[in-house]
Amino acid sequence: MTDDPPIEPARPITSATPTVRQLIRSQYQDLTQSERKFANTLMENYPNAGLASITTVAEGAGVSAPVVARMVQKLGFKGYPQFHQALLQELQAKVSGPTERRAVWTAEAPESHMLNRFAGAVTQNLAQTFANIDTAQFDAAARLLASENGLYIVGGRITRSLAEYAFTHFQAIRERVTHLTSSPATWPHYVLDMVEGDTLLIFDIRRYEENLLRLAEIASARGVRVILITDQWASPVAGLAEATFHCWGEIPSAWDSNIATLSLTEALIAATQEERWPEARDRFERLDSLFEMTRLFRKP
């Protein structure tokens, strides 16, 4: 005999489907104290703390099984089995490669042109990403990025181009900006110069990179404040980050899209610029003078 009734199918995951993590955050204010206790336990060890039977996860959180059942229903699930299946789907999505991702969207692809399907997915991703940004956290991250302390920026195999893009703009806005190379073997040289109060901006999307997690662990232990830009499932670096931003990226492709990630990055760049204005304006003007001297660009 099992603890749970027969399993009902979980909702199919699409680019517009919020994760359980996002559902908890959006409904957190409506949870009771006991329900919040389970929610906090799950968030601290996500999603592993919700992958056992309802009895086991309730005991692990120090609450009763009915408390867990009530909470998952508040999140919009018919019962714990459907909630459990949703977590399993998220876990599978985290580790899926291009071949598996393509199989998902081809099975559900509507009979319309690729351009229309792509545009629809990108629009959903942008809307979902910006709808789930906590404005207070965004403003706090912008202040960190604009501070006088050192700013270090790093990306992974795919996101290193985003890290370079961010570096180019932040370097124009402020001083003491460092772009870590794509070779982890060189990272200890950068960590050597990190001091307490510096900021490390990390881009990490699935498949998450162990080297980035280890870098975050070492930097965090030195008092460096970590800002993470990741996907809707969340890199393990989130456990160390002072601010984490989730960007939706599923599109009708074997690859994920970075359009929402780039848009969020540009929003942070713009907010940082405003935080440092008029110092940033003076830096822009001096930079333009240097460009004139080098004659790198042709005037319109």
Side-chain angles (χ1 to χ4, degrees):
M1 182 176 295
T2 63
D3 296 314
D4 306 317
I7 294 177
E8 297 183 30
R11 297 164 297 181
I13 294 178
T14 69
S15 60
T17 302
T19 63
V20 172
R21 186 199 303 272
Q22 294 293 342
L23 290 172
I24 290 174
R25 286 174 175 164
S26 65
Q27 300 292 328
Y28 193 79
Q29 295 301 322
D30 298 327
L31 301 180
T32 65
Q33 185 173 357
S34 295
E35 290 165 353
R36 289 183 180 184
K37 189 174 182 181
F38 170 62
N40 293 337
T41 300
L42 176 59
M43 296 290 270
E44 288 171 3
N45 185 21
Y46 186 88
N48 294 345
L51 295 179
S53 71
I54 188 171
T55 303
T56 301
V57 301
E59 291 176 352
V63 299
S64 66
V67 167
V68 176
R70 287 195 301 269
M71 194 205 81
V72 301
Q73 288 177 351
K74 285 184 178 179
L75 298 183
F77 297 96
K78 292 182 178 179
Y80 184 80
Q82 189 185 45
F83 168 83
H84 183 264
Q85 284 293 101
L87 288 176
L88 286 175
Q89 285 187 1
E90 287 185 33
L91 185 63
Q92 182 180 15
K94 274 189 174 186
V95 299
S96 65
T99 302
E100 292 85 355
R101 292 201 289 273
R102 185 181 185 279
V104 171
W105 68 259
T106 52
E108 302 175 355
E111 295 181 2
S112 60
H113 194 278
M114 168 63 81
L115 287 174
N116 293 327
R117 286 185 282 135
F118 194 92
V122 167
T123 301
Q124 283 186 330
N125 288 338
L126 283 168
Q128 192 76 19
T129 296
F130 281 86
N132 283 279
I133 293 176
D134 182 286
T135 54
Q137 186 180 71
F138 178 89
D139 294 341
R143 287 191 292 270
L144 281 180
L145 294 168
S147 74
E148 299 296 329
N149 296 317
L151 171 60
Y152 295 83
I153 304 173
V154 65
R157 183 174 68 94
I158 299 297
T159 54
R160 64 172 178 260
S161 58
L162 292 170
E164 184 176 3
Y165 182 86
F167 165 73
T168 301
H169 286 77
F170 283 122
Q171 190 184 42
I173 294 171
R174 49 157 295 170
E175 300 175 344
R176 300 183 62 194
V177 184
T178 303
H179 179 211
L180 278 64
T181 67
S182 59
S183 173
T186 66
W187 292 353
H189 297 274
Y190 298 104
V191 175
L192 187 65
D193 293 328
M194 293 180 184
V195 297
E196 184 176 357
D198 285 348
T199 299
L200 174 61
L201 175 61
I202 294 180
F203 293 82
D204 190 27
I205 61 174
R206 63 176 186 180
R207 307 172 180 176
Y208 310 116
E209 300 187 30
E210 289 295 330
N211 287 327
L212 290 173
L213 176 59
R214 185 61 182 142
L215 172 64
E217 291 172 340
I218 296 172
S220 181
R222 297 172 69 93
V224 175
R225 307 170 82 171
V226 177
I227 297 175
L228 172 66
I229 297 180
T230 184
D231 51 32
Q232 65 259 49
W233 297 283
S235 158
V237 174
L240 299 164
E242 187 164 324
T244 298
F245 298 101
H246 302 272
C247 300
W248 272 249
E250 286 190 300
I251 51 174
S253 169
W255 302 95
D256 285 336
S257 168
N258 278 316
I259 292 177
T261 311
L262 176 60
S263 297
L264 173 64
T265 302
E266 290 188 329
L268 285 170
I269 290 169
T272 304
Q273 171 189 292
E274 292 306 303
E275 285 286 334
R276 290 191 64 88
W277 205 263
E279 291 91 344
R281 178 185 59 196
D282 177 64
R283 190 169 173 87
F284 291 155
E285 291 172 351
R286 290 188 285 117
L287 183 60
D288 282 341
S289 296
L290 288 171
F291 280 139
E292 276 192 41
M293 292 172 60
T294 58
R295 298 180 181 177
L296 287 174
F297 302 107
R298 178 178 296 179
K299 290 185 177 181

